[in-house]
Amino acid sequence: MNQDYIIPNEWSIIEEGFEPGRVESSESLFSIGNGAMGQRANFEEDYSGETFQGSYIGGVYYPDKTRVGWWKNGYPEYFAKVLNAPNWIGISVSVDGTPLDLHTCKSVKDFRRELNMKEGWYQRSFTAVMENGKTVAVNARRFLSMKRDEIGAIRYEIRVLDQGAEVTLEPYIDSGITNQDTNWDDPFWETTGVRTSGSRAYILAHTLKTHFRTCTFMDSRLELDGSAVGQSGEAVEGPTRAGYRYTQQVAAGQTLVLFKYGGYVTGMNHPKDNLEAAADANLDSALKAGFETLLQEQRDAWAAVWEMSDITIGGDVKAQQGIRFNILHLNQTYTGRDSRLNIGPKGFTGEKYGGSTYWDTEAYCIPFYMATKNQHVARNLLKYRYNQLDKAIENAEKLGFSGGAALYPMVTMNGEECHNEWEITFEEIHRNGAIAFAIYNYYRFTGDYTYIPEMGLEVLVAIARFWHQRASYSENRKKYVILGVTGPNEYENNVNNNWYTNYIARWCIRFCLEQLAKVKEGYPDDYDRVIGVCHLTEAETKAWSKVAENMYFPYSEAHGVFLQQDGFLDKELVPVSKLDRKERPLNQKWSWDRILRSPYIKQADTLQGFYFFEDHFTLEQLEKHFDFYEPFTVHESSLSPCVHAIQAARLNRMEQAYAFYLRTSRLDLDDYNKEVHEGLHITSMAGTWMSIVEGFGGMRVLNDKLHFSPRIPKQWDSYSFKINFRHRILKVTVTAGGSSFRLEGKEEMSIRVNDKRVVLTPGETVEVR
């Protein structure tokens, strides 16, 4: 059974009722972020039950020494850990000397959480009977400012419902934190300064090894029944903790409110020796504005986000909630303002996987950010890879490649590979292809070719060199083969001639050669620079061509399909439908040996190639391959349902497409893979957006034009989305009766709908039946 405690609502994620067993899952689901920092939905007050404490600062990491059973040459020395940062949200609460702790309370009633997606805030309320018999009602709201991205704010309200009591509130900050995800249980932080001043507290700390310097800060104000409480708090300092203790007599029915402002400043954005001054500037600004003004700014900022990125669905609340949940977290994770940052698979919701960048960014996330923001944001994601090209070349050199060949890392923070499972680190090399494809996809969608001569061509040359060297010539086949790889299906390791890997390798070489010719003709100065920097010769490019033109692709004449890898037909081909549900998910129930010998596919593999290169194949070929591979697919990767939803929609199998969509959009809300307590699947959320826009909407860019082939699930009355296509905003609305298109901008635009030309005039809505 999937979890089903999240209440369906179009604009909010809501939980009602306190269940200790789901606290960690809810901490993930109700996470908040603003692109620069984020935090799990931990309680402000102390909690002694099972909890996963997590606060995170974008770009800050620790190089945890690699831990493996058997060291192999080429392993990275460390695995970059997403760091649990100092905690600034804490508020210890006691009533008549008894701590408020929901784990030890006699009863907890009217417990409710809400993540308001429309306005970007998180709220929690409850009534509790404490161990000493006192009954209190608490209502806490907090948010991380999208406008002022180093500031967060909390409004913590407490009422004593029976007779009066002495209430003590201790807002604090704490750097005595640890990571759940650690190889050796080493300390990741060193606290260098703890200070209180007035009503403010500061903790200076830096990461060990990487020496990211941070200042965690806070200030607070107290009100009783709406009037300021003038008392000064008692400063509380410890080796890793600083705060203030306020004690107030509260009559029955009175409301005591603590406003707490806090956050982080780092040496990445401020002078390293002047972080306290930067913290003061943030606090001065926040206090001058006040909680309600900051909250209104938050509403306004999110209104602007939703104006462009919202997808509306009529007639299906769960589907609507799912897509907005995904869009919310994508925008909380990455705003595009800072080209040093990227989109980690857990974002700001957990520590699993480590690193901040996987191939997910290029394969799944760039389309969302291109279409819902602007090309500058997507360009920053590509620039991120260009800036790390030297490291990618170093990564390849460590594995024995030479001459400027680059292997981009599977997992990274700074460009160095830091993933330490051999079947991933050494073998999942198709990631190189996703980066090249993203360069192509960016140009295809935005029309901005300048990235390729300025930066992208050097990346493409280095990737082509890698594929040339990684392929080997088989005298037996008289073809070039690529041996010992792991394709997108991580349930097959160390296989030969993974079709997707071979296909994207050939495509990368051909695409690079095409761009060399195009840049030579149109950008001769850039061409000369790249040739000089790369020391590229005609003899080398001819050798690439030979590999590309003679690449081997496994194929089954009997089935009429490309084989996922050479030995796929040697497996016992039992479809997923014959598996006992008790055996799922396989990665939690089966040994790895058994998984590797099975035909089961974790996510789209051959079908990933059919998604990327759809225009290379006929609809009949797609159908044949979909019918062959999908029955063996267990969809135990978060990245799997979205690709299959898009392809099912193209095949007009709408019931199947809808089922895949619902699974990808509610993957975390319904906890399909039984792992949401570890954090959310941020990068797959972009695939959810693709499921609607590319799947049901049928959006493609072909021959430099937008094409649509809209379809709608029978469960929906309508749906709509917006696209920013080359600085023109297009709104698409689809119903069972047809579709409509409305263009914003100053110039008319032609598109194709169901292969018919449609001319759009700004400000007018065109109906297509």
Side-chain angles (χ1 to χ4, degrees), residues 13 28-30 115 117 306 320-330 665 668-669 680 685:
I13 306 304
S28 296
L29 294 174
F30 291 84
L115 178 58
M117 300 185 286
W306 288 115
Q320 178 68 85
Q321 184 181 44
I323 188 60
R324 283 184 173 144
F325 179 72
N326 286 262
I327 293 170
L328 170 92
H329 279 288
L330 287 164
S665 70
D668 291 316
L669 288 174
L680 305 179
M685 291 176 171

Side-chain angles (χ1 to χ4, degrees), residues 353-508:
Y353 299 132
S356 70
T357 316
Y358 284 57
W359 70 289
D360 308 13
T361 291
E362 283 75 22
Y364 297 91
C365 297
I366 279 182
F368 170 80
Y369 291 101
M370 281 194 302
T372 65
K373 297 193 180 298
N374 56 55
Q375 66 186 53
H376 175 73
V377 172
R379 206 176 203 269
N380 267 350
L381 289 170
L382 297 180
K383 183 180 178 183
Y384 180 93
R385 293 295 195 177
Y386 173 73
N387 288 342
Q388 296 181 350
L389 177 58
D390 288 346
K391 292 288 188 184
I393 292 172
E394 286 181 21
N395 293 334
E397 288 173 347
K398 291 175 183 177
L399 301 185
F401 298 90
S402 61
L407 177 59
Y408 275 91
M410 186 67 187
V411 180
T412 192
M413 275 289 193
N414 66 353
E416 290 180 283
E417 176 65 77
C418 64
H419 196 286
N420 50 34
E421 295 176 46
W422 65 270
E423 68 272 19
I424 305 298
T425 309
F426 303 147
E427 296 193 343
E428 204 161 330
I429 55 177
H430 64 82
R431 59 202 188 237
N432 254 13
I435 290 162
F437 183 83
I439 295 172
Y440 159 74
N441 204 17
Y442 171 79
Y443 166 59
R444 176 174 64 174
F445 188 86
T446 66
D448 172 24
Y449 190 75
T450 62
Y451 174 80
I452 292 179
E454 290 175 16
M455 290 179 268
L457 190 57
E458 290 177 58
V459 173
L460 294 173
V461 167
I463 288 173
R465 281 173 163 162
F466 171 82
W467 289 123
H468 169 235
Q469 293 180 36
R470 187 59 172 80
S472 52
Y473 188 72
S474 165
E475 284 290 347
N476 178 49
R477 299 186 185 278
K478 305 300 182 186
K479 292 283 186 180
Y480 283 92
V481 296
I482 301 181
L483 308 177
V485 301
T486 297
N489 172 31
E490 293 174 340
Y491 287 177
E492 289 186 316
N493 302 152
N494 202 35
V495 299
N496 294 334
N497 295 309
N498 170 256
W499 179 84
Y500 171 76
T501 302
N502 287 21
Y503 197 87
I504 208 165
R506 182 179 72 174
W507 177 86
C508 286

Side-chain angles (χ1 to χ4, degrees), residues 510-570:
R510 288 177 169 177
F511 183 63
C512 181
L513 293 171
E514 289 169 6
Q515 301 322 301
L516 281 167
K518 190 170 182 177
V519 171
K520 182 178 183 179
E521 181 178 347
Y523 303 81
D525 291 343
D526 284 303
Y527 177 81
D528 290 342
R529 174 182 55 79
V530 172
I531 294 298
V533 167
C534 297
H535 306 291
L536 190 62
T537 66
E538 186 176 349
E540 184 179 2
T541 57
K542 283 184 176 179
W544 298 353
S545 295
K546 186 177 180 182
V547 171
E549 297 312 311
N550 293 280
M551 186 67 74
Y552 166 71
F553 300 105
Y555 184 81
S556 168
E557 293 289 351
H559 295 279
V561 296
F562 292 107
L563 291 178
Q564 190 162 279
Q565 46 90 7
D566 277 348
F568 192 78
L569 291 183
D570 294 329

